[in-house]
Amino acid sequence: MSVVMKPGASPKEMSRVLKTIRSSGLKTDTMFGEFQNVIGIIGDEKKIDLEFLGSLPGVQEVITIQVPYRLVSRSYIQHDVVVKAGDVKIGGDNPPVYIAGPCSIESYEQLHRIGKKVKEAGAQILRGGAYKPRTSIHSFQGLGITGLKHLKDVGKDLSMPTVTEIRSEFDVKTVAKYADILQIGARNMYNQDLLEACAKTKKPILFKRGFSAQIDEYLSFAERIAAHGNKQLILCERGITPLGGSFKPATRFTLDLNAVPLLKKETPFPVTADPSHGTGQRDLILPMSKASIACGAHGLMIEVHDRPEEALSDAAQALDPQELPGLIKSCNEIYRVASQ
Amino acid sequence: MSVVMKPGASPKEMSRVLKTIRSSGLKTDTMFGEFQNVIGIIGDEKKIDLEFLGSLPGVQEVITIQVPYRLVSRSYIQHDVVVKAGDVKIGGDNPPVYIAGPCSIESYEQLHRIGKKVKEAGAQILRGGAYKPRTSIHSFQGLGITGLKHLKDVGKDLSMPTVTEIRSEFDVKTVAKYADILQIGARNMYNQDLLEACAKTKKPILFKRGFSAQIDEYLSFAERIAAHGNKQLILCERGITPLGGSFKPATRFTLDLNAVPLLKKETPFPVTADPSHGTGQRDLILPMSKASIACGAHGLMIEVHDRPEEALSDAAQALDPQELPGLIKSCNEIYRVASQ
Amino acid sequence: MSVVMKPGASPKEMSRVLKTIRSSGLKTDTMFGEFQNVIGIIGDEKKIDLEFLGSLPGVQEVITIQVPYRLVSRSYIQHDVVVKAGDVKIGGDNPPVYIAGPCSIESYEQLHRIGKKVKEAGAQILRGGAYKPRTSIHSFQGLGITGLKHLKDVGKDLSMPTVTEIRSEFDVKTVAKYADILQIGARNMYNQDLLEACAKTKKPILFKRGFSAQIDEYLSFAERIAAHGNKQLILCERGITPLGGSFKPATRFTLDLNAVPLLKKETPFPVTADPSHGTGQRDLILPMSKASIACGAHGLMIEVHDRPEEALSDAAQALDPQELPGLIKSCNEIYRVASQ
Amino acid sequence: MSVVMKPGASPKEMSRVLKTIRSSGLKTDTMFGEFQNVIGIIGDEKKIDLEFLGSLPGVQEVITIQVPYRLVSRSYIQHDVVVKAGDVKIGGDNPPVYIAGPCSIESYEQLHRIGKKVKEAGAQILRGGAYKPRTSIHSFQGLGITGLKHLKDVGKDLSMPTVTEIRSEFDVKTVAKYADILQIGARNMYNQDLLEACAKTKKPILFKRGFSAQIDEYLSFAERIAAHGNKQLILCERGITPLGGSFKPATRFTLDLNAVPLLKKETPFPVTADPSHGTGQRDLILPMSKASIACGAHGLMIEVHDRPEEALSDAAQALDPQELPGLIKSCNEIYRVASQ
């Protein structure tokens, strides 16, 4: 539900509307427009007397939208949102941003070695996992805080903003100290308490789509981040699981690129794609990276490892750093012709 | 990986094996058998020298299994596990257990009123949500700790053990104080930190299958609970999302009853079904409850509300308490003939 | 679209309505009720002038339904449809019918040997494939007309009605000569020309749900059979493909039992289940058979082979004939208590 | 199974191998290579004595491959296959081919009017449906043979090769007389008898992937076409159904572009994409067309209608012909930079 104020409504009228809403136990989020202001209402809407609200002075209209998200919709935020991490800008009309690095941080040396290569190749943001979400408890689970320190150090040494995944609510504050962008992984898309805890840090959030989530559901959970006042949101398509793939050759996941134009149409936030996880196969990363940029992705997330035989996780989908310059060059050219 | 000790291996030999494993940074879980003991190894197995382990005195065999779970497998635990909550026993050869109550706890009065009816109908365990996982932030989110208090009070007043869902790691200790069984919902199946926090409370855990999780994946996450020494595990099939259902008539989810015999074959833990969430339609609850029991479910979880028009969540799938006695009677008769 | 005639509308009025519809190039299907008649309109409805039709004498109401099926809906046919094959009745309040036999007919001897056993076990209808739909051209494709002859002979010798699958439009007439019930398999659910050719034979049709078809879609194609005047329709749930199952243990298909009560609610036709194809695993057949009957299936289709090591197809899911008597006995008892 | 002959094996030796295979009731397909010949075996391989075959003079090796397809695999055909329709070449290193036209042929005038526009826009092949596969029998089903005649006439008048869908085995010969390329639609992917009937016409076949088919399954059915000696095969990704999309905004299908590089890696045949059916939404056609070309598609199939309000089918996904020149220009530029 949003309340559209009349052009020229007085601050006093505005304030009365806000007070009325909050006195029902609900929260508000105000968009100040050039001509008129819009108040977004956050929470259980059954609690509010709609008719009374519409009758208040200065109110032009009360809009009730049936979709379960609205703070992240284009009808609410009319301009493209550009998210900044250090000097890097993602979204809007900015050229594609490349986020690259190893799946897991294994040591300072390993991260710096790979980080240097991805930077030279043209990547702007460094990725690396310290807390790995893993299916099996019998696999490597990440270096934890030691990994975070390496990430911060290498990011500083190479002058690259960094991104890393958060799994536990207990780690939110720690991770926020060490990384520039907080990543919420696909397995945690529905973890609303983690989403809200991350939102409150006010850090940029790279929020991945769950692998069986419909677009509406994904945006409803993005709404939870926005509802805590965090508009530094980067969306990311990373593959869905339609076909389990009982025989070879098949991909474990299906990178659903339809999501890219759909999300861009629905929301003003930057939309990225992760062809590494989205396909799970090294030789699909290049073609699907090109396709992602061609249909409008604002950025790509690519897993890179120079010694896949030593990698502690996800070796099968790690790109050789030598292939990255070609990938970035090709994607940039596609961006140039596709965005004309 | 498990180490099978020879029959008659000495405690000293056993102790050396345990020490060897732990010195590699891994954990152990020992099953004491009638004739011989088996040591389960928990953690990243690449760290261990397999050959050396197999050469230690007293070791009969080192078994490496490729499946990502083993602490929850029948090859590891050979007898059916019976989980107790108060006087209620779930699993093994015990007759079906009925877990019933409202979706959300709305007040002491509402919970007591409905709880009394479900008890009279034959339900043994009371359910009620205090922290609701919701797709939309604009819906009712649960009463929180007030709800937990009502649950504990009503459970005590009606002499029924209770179960409620935990969403946030921060709430684990609190919920463990108020409820007899901790429920981990489908949306949190992949939330490994929550799983581990719940496991550590040593309370029985009702662990629902994620709605796009394959059986192996589900058991791999159950493994995380067992790996923290918690064998009080109740599994629960609650519907998968194969067909989104763009037209009517279709169910939002598909209760996948194949999972019941499959899980019973793979694991010794009790397997229950939730036809309320699994179908999302009131008039499918009765037939699918019967089917669940017919294919071997150890229990059912049923949402009940006597005033669905007032219900703050999930009204469309709440059963009228007047229908519960008939459902339980019919299911018990099916159990009697199906289990012969 | 259906036209409800007034009680007491004259044959002349009726005839004018029929003529009006047919002159627009559409077909009709009339249900003669106790009090009033209803005319179903078949074909592209845009061609008809709805208002004019409603204004004709004797017309009470023109009903336009948005769902893409109506001739197979309960709103159109109010009584349960019972389909007969020989002396066997399927549907309505009749006890469950068991359709059993080998996947492929391999010889007269093999079919007779297995047929005898399934009959003794309590099965009423004999199944056996002569034209096998196979994924690989490098597998056994069926005996063709030789198989059909064996089927007819064995059916006669054992006094059992028979069912076999039709794959090609060219074979419809031939198969209709040899078998009592024509089966349309899951892979052909969308093959509308085959459906229509089979419908025209006026033989009973066992019509399986496609493995990715939603309920509405399935009924829309069933509508094509009914639209050619064939109401001898037996529906069959045979498993959907939601989760490909990249690891073991998993079923290739998921028997979607929710479909059974859903279909029974929507349509008056008998609804059966095929736990053999629906699970693809021999040891799931018994529990899923019980579950099928418990939730209301009018019959079961079970693949049986006494020498699975010799079977030319589907050995992994063939039940041993020795297990069939127990399965049928158990299912009949569940039917008895579940249908009370 | 394939038999690799030694370099220099004599025609007599070759002939003996062929005879041996055929005497077991199997068929053969020979690839004549520069240095040595390979004989593909078609049919149920259990019938053949492998060891004996390997012992024949002139035989270098008998290769048994577990995958259910091989005649369409790159290991069997090592060079890219280029399919010709009139002067148009699809596949290999040829620039993208655009197949465009209305969903349904409605009249000569309509097809000519739209065909002229798509030709001017740069499309090389004309599409139009005469036999429409429709979910509902109550929708427009196509003009049939009248439509075919319009297609042939307009194709001739505009000098464009044509493609149209075949639904029924009975129509194969007729359609083959009127159209240059025979299309087998997604709903008929599993219709093996139709596939084989079409293959025998020796016409080029545009063969669409079924909407729940895995890549292996798709190629196994493509194998059936190749096994009848037809290597004029054009593959086409047209969207899968992973997420039915119960809420808006969602696409009915998901264009699975991962299939494009996967298919190109596995098979030598041209791979095209159909963003119209694959998304079902007009405003996704442009971005997904670009993405298709960027990841390597050899061509696109686009539904175009200049008066969507009059279209008898699929209006929601028909592109305005005015948008086609821009789409083709943009795709050609992406092809230029992506294929470098």
Side-chain angles (χ1 to χ4, degrees):
Chain A
M1 201 148 53
S2 342
V3 181
V4 184
M5 300 302 293
K6 287 182 183 156
S10 72
K12 214 174 153 186
E13 289 168 343
M14 180 91 175
S15 155
R16 187 167 168 203
V17 171
L18 290 170
K19 222 185 285 174
T20 306
I21 297 168
R22 290 175 191 153
S23 70
S24 309
L26 300 174
K27 289 179 184 163
T28 58
D29 177 286
T30 308
M31 295 295 293
F32 298 94
E34 212 171 330
F35 303 109
Q36 55 190 147
N37 300 333
V38 181
I39 301 167
I41 302 180
I42 301 164
D44 182 7
E45 301 176 347
K46 287 186 224 137
K47 293 182 181 171
I48 218 155
D49 183 340
L50 211 124
E51 248 177 292
F52 175 70
L53 204 65
S55 72
L56 290 179
V59 170
Q60 180 180 299
E61 199 182 0
V62 179
I63 299 172
T64 53
I65 313 177
Q66 289 308 320
V67 295
Y69 56 87
R70 84 196 58 120
L71 302 177
V72 298
S73 73
R74 284 209 178 268
S75 61
Y76 187 66
I77 305 179
Q78 272 117 36
H79 301 291
D80 282 352
V81 172
V82 174
V83 177
K84 280 190 217 173
D87 294 336
V88 182
K89 292 178 188 170
I90 314 179
D93 295 330
N94 290 291
V97 169
Y98 303 93
I99 303 167
C103 176
S104 296
I105 300 167
E106 296 163 21
S107 67
Y108 174 88
E109 193 280 326
Q110 171 248 21
L111 186 64
H112 190 276
R113 193 183 71 227
I114 297 175
K116 201 157 167 273
K117 288 177 183 170
V118 305
K119 184 170 186 180
E120 286 165 8
Q124 301 97 323
I125 296 178
L126 181 66
R127 61 149 290 153
Y131 300 95
K132 300 304 303 171
R134 300 305 297 271
T135 297
S136 171
I137 196 171
H138 307 290
S139 310
F140 177 65
Q141 314 283 318
L143 289 184
I145 194 156
T146 311
L148 291 179
K149 286 177 183 164
H150 296 331
L151 184 68
K152 181 157 195 171
D153 291 346
V154 172
K156 207 176 154 195
D157 293 353
L158 298 175
S159 301
M160 294 176 86
T162 59
V163 59
T164 199
E165 179 165 355
I166 294 189
R167 246 178 30 209
S168 167
E169 292 172 66
F170 289 120
D171 297 329
V172 170
K173 281 183 190 162
T174 310
V175 177
K177 256 187 271 173
Y178 288 97
D180 298 300
I181 304 174
L182 308 185
Q183 178 182 321
I184 295 169
R187 286 181 178 77
N188 279 310
M189 192 203 91
Y190 296 111
N191 186 347
Q192 62 189 71
D193 300 276
L194 179 65
L195 266 60
E196 295 176 16
C198 288
K200 288 175 187 161
T201 66
K202 305 293 177 197
K203 287 256 175 177
I205 291 175
L206 191 147
F207 179 48
K208 289 192 165 183
R209 178 183 178 194
F211 36 71
S212 71
Q214 300 196 19
I215 297 298
D216 281 60
E217 229 182 347
Y218 181 32
L219 291 177
S220 298
F221 281 85
E223 181 93 346
R224 293 189 171 273
I225 295 170
H228 285 84
N230 192 331
K231 306 282 167 68
Q232 301 266 84
L233 185 62
I234 303 163
L235 299 171
C236 184
E237 160 60 31
R238 54 78 69 215
I240 54 175
T241 52
L243 299 170
S246 34
F247 322 137
K248 287 271 162 207
T251 59
R252 188 167 164 212
F253 294 108
T254 292
L255 189 71
D256 176 16
L257 288 185
N258 307 271
V260 173
L262 266 175
L263 288 169
K264 285 182 73 177
K265 187 179 151 196
E266 282 297 308
T267 84
F269 295 100
V271 177
T272 61
D274 177 346
S276 303
H277 288 91
T279 66
Q281 280 184 231
R282 189 179 300 121
D283 54 4
L284 292 185
I285 295 176
L286 176 61
M288 296 313 284
S289 292
K290 291 177 179 178
S292 302
I293 295 300
C295 68
H298 290 108
L300 295 177
M301 196 161 198
I302 313 257
E303 284 191 359
V304 173
H305 206 295
D306 53 352
R307 299 174 191 167
E309 69 288 357
E310 287 178 17
L312 295 179
S313 55
D314 280 357
Q317 69 194 41
L319 199 76
D320 189 301
Q322 297 193 315
E323 298 177 63
L324 196 58
L327 182 152
I328 290 180
K329 185 168 173 282
S330 188
C331 286
N332 281 339
E333 287 183 10
I334 288 173
Y335 168 74
R336 195 175 41 81
V337 301
S339 61
Q340 276 164 357
Chain B
M1 202 148 51
S2 342
V3 181
V4 184
M5 300 302 292
K6 289 182 183 157
S10 71
K12 213 173 152 186
E13 288 169 343
M14 180 92 174
S15 155
R16 187 168 168 201
V17 171
L18 291 171
K19 220 184 286 174
T20 306
I21 297 167
R22 290 174 192 154
S23 69
S24 309
L26 300 174
K27 289 179 185 165
T28 59
D29 178 286
T30 309
M31 296 295 292
F32 297 95
E34 213 171 327
F35 303 108
Q36 53 190 146
N37 300 332
V38 180
I39 301 166
I41 302 180
I42 302 164
D44 182 7
E45 300 175 347
K46 284 186 225 139
K47 291 182 181 170
I48 219 156
D49 183 340
L50 211 123
E51 250 177 289
F52 175 69
L53 205 66
S55 72
L56 289 179
V59 170
Q60 180 180 299
E61 201 181 359
V62 178
I63 299 173
T64 54
I65 312 176
Q66 290 308 320
V67 295
Y69 57 88
R70 83 194 61 121
L71 303 176
V72 297
S73 73
R74 282 208 179 268
S75 62
Y76 187 65
I77 305 180
Q78 272 118 36
H79 302 291
D80 281 354
V81 172
V82 174
V83 177
K84 280 190 218 172
D87 294 335
V88 182
K89 291 177 190 171
I90 315 179
D93 295 330
N94 290 291
V97 169
Y98 302 93
I99 304 167
C103 176
S104 295
I105 300 167
E106 296 164 19
S107 67
Y108 174 88
E109 192 280 327
Q110 171 249 21
L111 186 63
H112 190 276
R113 193 181 73 229
I114 296 176
K116 201 156 167 276
K117 289 177 184 171
V118 305
K119 186 174 185 176
E120 287 165 7
Q124 300 100 320
I125 297 178
L126 181 66
R127 62 149 288 153
Y131 300 95
K132 301 303 304 169
R134 301 304 299 271
T135 297
S136 171
I137 197 171
H138 307 290
S139 311
F140 177 64
Q141 313 285 317
L143 289 185
I145 194 154
T146 311
L148 290 179
K149 286 177 183 164
H150 295 332
L151 183 67
K152 181 159 195 169
D153 291 347
V154 172
K156 207 175 154 193
D157 294 353
L158 298 174
S159 301
M160 293 177 87
T162 58
V163 58
T164 198
E165 178 164 355
I166 293 189
R167 244 178 30 210
S168 167
E169 291 172 65
F170 289 120
D171 298 329
V172 171
K173 282 184 189 161
T174 310
V175 178
K177 258 188 268 173
Y178 288 98
D180 298 302
I181 304 174
L182 308 185
Q183 176 180 323
I184 296 169
R187 285 182 179 77
N188 278 311
M189 192 201 89
Y190 295 111
N191 186 346
Q192 60 189 72
D193 300 277
L194 180 64
L195 265 61
E196 295 175 16
C198 288
K200 288 176 187 159
T201 65
K202 306 293 176 196
K203 288 256 175 179
I205 291 175
L206 192 146
F207 179 49
K208 291 192 165 183
R209 178 183 178 194
F211 35 73
S212 71
Q214 300 195 19
I215 296 297
D216 281 61
E217 229 182 348
Y218 182 29
L219 291 178
S220 299
F221 282 85
E223 180 94 344
R224 294 187 170 275
I225 294 170
H228 285 84
N230 193 330
K231 306 281 166 70
Q232 303 265 84
L233 184 63
I234 303 163
L235 299 171
C236 185
E237 161 60 33
R238 54 78 70 214
I240 54 174
T241 50
L243 299 169
S246 34
F247 323 137
K248 287 270 164 208
T251 58
R252 187 167 164 212
F253 293 107
T254 292
L255 190 69
D256 176 15
L257 289 186
N258 309 271
V260 173
L262 265 177
L263 288 170
K264 286 183 73 178
K265 187 179 150 197
E266 282 298 308
T267 85
F269 296 100
V271 178
T272 62
D274 177 345
S276 304
H277 287 90
T279 66
Q281 278 184 232
R282 190 178 299 121
D283 54 4
L284 291 186
I285 295 176
L286 177 60
M288 295 314 283
S289 291
K290 291 176 179 180
S292 301
I293 296 300
C295 67
H298 290 109
L300 295 177
M301 196 160 198
I302 312 258
E303 286 192 358
V304 173
H305 206 295
D306 53 351
R307 299 174 191 167
E309 69 287 359
E310 286 178 16
L312 296 180
S313 55
D314 280 356
Q317 69 194 41
L319 199 76
D320 191 300
Q322 296 193 315
E323 298 176 64
L324 196 58
L327 181 151
I328 290 180
K329 186 165 170 287
S330 188
C331 285
N332 281 339
E333 287 183 9
I334 287 173
Y335 169 73
R336 196 173 42 79
V337 301
S339 61
Q340 278 166 356
Chain C
M1 199 147 55
S2 342
V3 181
V4 185
M5 299 302 293
K6 287 183 184 157
S10 72
K12 212 174 156 189
E13 288 168 343
M14 181 92 173
S15 156
R16 183 164 174 208
V17 171
L18 291 170
K19 218 184 288 175
T20 307
I21 296 168
R22 290 174 192 155
S23 69
S24 309
L26 299 175
K27 290 180 184 163
T28 58
D29 177 287
T30 309
M31 296 295 293
F32 297 94
E34 211 170 331
F35 303 108
Q36 55 190 145
N37 300 333
V38 180
I39 301 166
I41 303 179
I42 301 165
D44 183 8
E45 302 176 346
K46 285 185 225 138
K47 293 183 180 169
I48 218 155
D49 182 342
L50 211 123
E51 250 177 291
F52 174 70
L53 204 65
S55 71
L56 290 178
V59 171
Q60 181 179 296
E61 200 182 358
V62 178
I63 299 173
T64 54
I65 312 178
Q66 290 308 318
V67 293
Y69 55 88
R70 82 195 62 119
L71 303 177
V72 297
S73 73
R74 283 208 178 270
S75 61
Y76 186 65
I77 305 179
Q78 271 119 35
H79 302 291
D80 281 353
V81 171
V82 174
V83 177
K84 279 190 219 171
D87 293 336
V88 182
K89 292 178 188 172
I90 315 179
D93 293 330
N94 291 290
V97 169
Y98 302 93
I99 303 167
C103 175
S104 295
I105 300 168
E106 297 164 19
S107 67
Y108 174 88
E109 193 282 325
Q110 172 248 22
L111 186 63
H112 190 275
R113 192 182 72 227
I114 297 176
K116 200 156 168 273
K117 288 178 183 170
V118 305
K119 185 172 188 180
E120 286 165 7
Q124 301 99 320
I125 297 178
L126 181 66
R127 59 150 288 153
Y131 300 95
K132 300 304 303 170
R134 301 305 298 271
T135 297
S136 171
I137 197 172
H138 307 289
S139 311
F140 177 65
Q141 314 285 318
L143 290 185
I145 194 156
T146 311
L148 291 178
K149 286 176 183 165
H150 296 331
L151 184 67
K152 182 159 195 170
D153 292 346
V154 173
K156 206 176 155 195
D157 294 352
L158 298 175
S159 301
M160 294 177 85
T162 58
V163 59
T164 198
E165 179 164 354
I166 292 190
R167 244 177 31 207
S168 168
E169 291 172 66
F170 289 120
D171 298 329
V172 171
K173 282 183 191 163
T174 309
V175 177
K177 258 188 270 173
Y178 288 98
D180 298 301
I181 304 174
L182 308 184
Q183 177 181 321
I184 296 168
R187 284 181 181 78
N188 279 311
M189 192 201 91
Y190 296 110
N191 186 347
Q192 61 190 71
D193 299 277
L194 180 64
L195 266 60
E196 295 175 15
C198 288
K200 287 175 189 160
T201 66
K202 304 294 176 198
K203 288 255 174 180
I205 291 174
L206 192 146
F207 179 49
K208 290 193 165 185
R209 177 184 180 193
F211 35 71
S212 71
Q214 301 196 19
I215 297 297
D216 281 61
E217 231 182 345
Y218 181 31
L219 291 177
S220 300
F221 282 86
E223 180 93 347
R224 293 188 170 272
I225 295 170
H228 284 85
N230 192 330
K231 305 284 166 67
Q232 301 266 85
L233 184 61
I234 304 164
L235 299 171
C236 184
E237 161 60 31
R238 55 80 67 218
I240 53 174
T241 49
L243 298 171
S246 35
F247 322 138
K248 287 271 162 205
T251 59
R252 186 165 165 213
F253 294 108
T254 292
L255 189 71
D256 177 15
L257 289 185
N258 308 271
V260 174
L262 266 175
L263 287 170
K264 286 182 71 177
K265 188 179 149 195
E266 282 298 309
T267 85
F269 296 100
V271 178
T272 61
D274 177 345
S276 304
H277 287 92
T279 66
Q281 280 185 230
R282 188 178 301 121
D283 54 3
L284 292 185
I285 296 176
L286 177 61
M288 296 314 284
S289 291
K290 292 176 178 181
S292 301
I293 296 299
C295 68
H298 289 109
L300 294 179
M301 194 161 200
I302 312 257
E303 286 192 358
V304 173
H305 207 293
D306 53 352
R307 299 174 191 166
E309 68 288 358
E310 287 177 16
L312 295 180
S313 56
D314 278 359
Q317 70 194 38
L319 200 74
D320 190 301
Q322 298 195 314
E323 298 176 63
L324 196 59
L327 181 151
I328 291 179
K329 185 166 173 283
S330 188
C331 285
N332 281 339
E333 287 183 9
I334 287 173
Y335 169 73
R336 194 174 42 78
V337 302
S339 61
Q340 278 164 359
Chain D
M1 200 147 54
S2 343
V3 181
V4 184
M5 299 303 290
K6 286 183 186 158
S10 71
K12 212 174 156 187
E13 288 168 343
M14 182 91 174
S15 156
R16 183 163 172 207
V17 171
L18 290 170
K19 221 184 285 175
T20 306
I21 297 169
R22 290 174 192 154
S23 69
S24 310
L26 300 174
K27 288 180 185 164
T28 57
D29 178 285
T30 309
M31 296 295 291
F32 297 95
E34 211 170 330
F35 303 109
Q36 54 192 143
N37 300 333
V38 180
I39 301 166
I41 302 180
I42 301 164
D44 183 7
E45 301 175 348
K46 285 187 226 137
K47 293 183 182 168
I48 218 156
D49 183 340
L50 211 122
E51 249 176 290
F52 175 71
L53 205 65
S55 72
L56 289 179
V59 171
Q60 180 178 297
E61 201 182 358
V62 179
I63 299 173
T64 53
I65 311 177
Q66 290 307 319
V67 294
Y69 56 89
R70 82 194 63 120
L71 303 177
V72 298
S73 72
R74 283 207 178 269
S75 61
Y76 187 65
I77 305 179
Q78 269 118 37
H79 301 291
D80 282 352
V81 172
V82 174
V83 177
K84 279 190 219 173
D87 294 335
V88 182
K89 292 177 190 171
I90 314 179
D93 294 330
N94 290 292
V97 169
Y98 302 93
I99 304 167
C103 176
S104 295
I105 300 167
E106 297 164 19
S107 67
Y108 174 88
E109 193 280 327
Q110 171 248 22
L111 186 63
H112 190 277
R113 191 182 73 227
I114 297 176
K116 200 157 169 273
K117 288 178 183 168
V118 305
K119 184 170 187 182
E120 286 164 6
Q124 300 98 321
I125 297 178
L126 181 66
R127 60 150 290 153
Y131 300 95
K132 300 304 302 171
R134 302 303 299 271
T135 296
S136 172
I137 197 170
H138 307 290
S139 311
F140 176 64
Q141 314 284 318
L143 289 184
I145 194 156
T146 312
L148 291 179
K149 286 176 183 164
H150 296 331
L151 184 67
K152 181 159 194 169
D153 291 346
V154 173
K156 206 175 153 194
D157 294 353
L158 299 175
S159 302
M160 294 176 87
T162 59
V163 59
T164 198
E165 180 165 354
I166 292 190
R167 246 177 29 208
S168 168
E169 291 172 65
F170 289 118
D171 298 330
V172 170
K173 282 184 192 162
T174 311
V175 178
K177 258 188 270 171
Y178 288 98
D180 299 300
I181 304 174
L182 308 185
Q183 178 181 321
I184 296 169
R187 285 180 179 78
N188 279 311
M189 191 201 90
Y190 296 111
N191 186 347
Q192 61 188 70
D193 299 277
L194 180 63
L195 266 59
E196 295 176 15
C198 288
K200 288 174 188 161
T201 66
K202 305 293 175 196
K203 287 256 177 179
I205 292 175
L206 192 147
F207 179 49
K208 290 192 166 185
R209 178 183 178 194
F211 35 72
S212 71
Q214 300 195 19
I215 296 298
D216 281 61
E217 231 182 346
Y218 181 31
L219 290 179
S220 299
F221 282 87
E223 181 93 346
R224 293 188 171 274
I225 295 170
H228 284 84
N230 192 330
K231 305 282 167 66
Q232 301 266 84
L233 184 62
I234 304 164
L235 300 170
C236 184
E237 160 61 32
R238 55 77 70 218
I240 54 174
T241 50
L243 299 169
S246 35
F247 323 138
K248 287 271 162 203
T251 59
R252 186 165 164 215
F253 293 108
T254 292
L255 189 70
D256 176 15
L257 288 186
N258 308 269
V260 174
L262 266 175
L263 289 170
K264 287 182 71 177
K265 187 179 149 194
E266 283 298 309
T267 86
F269 295 100
V271 178
T272 61
D274 177 345
S276 304
H277 288 92
T279 67
Q281 279 184 234
R282 189 178 300 122
D283 53 4
L284 292 186
I285 295 176
L286 176 60
M288 295 314 282
S289 292
K290 291 177 180 180
S292 302
I293 296 299
C295 67
H298 290 108
L300 295 178
M301 195 160 199
I302 312 258
E303 286 192 358
V304 173
H305 206 294
D306 54 351
R307 299 174 192 167
E309 69 289 357
E310 287 178 16
L312 295 180
S313 55
D314 280 358
Q317 69 195 39
L319 199 76
D320 190 301
Q322 298 194 314
E323 297 176 64
L324 196 58
L327 181 150
I328 290 179
K329 185 167 174 284
S330 189
C331 286
N332 281 339
E333 287 183 9
I334 287 173
Y335 168 74
R336 194 173 43 78
V337 301
S339 61
Q340 277 165 358

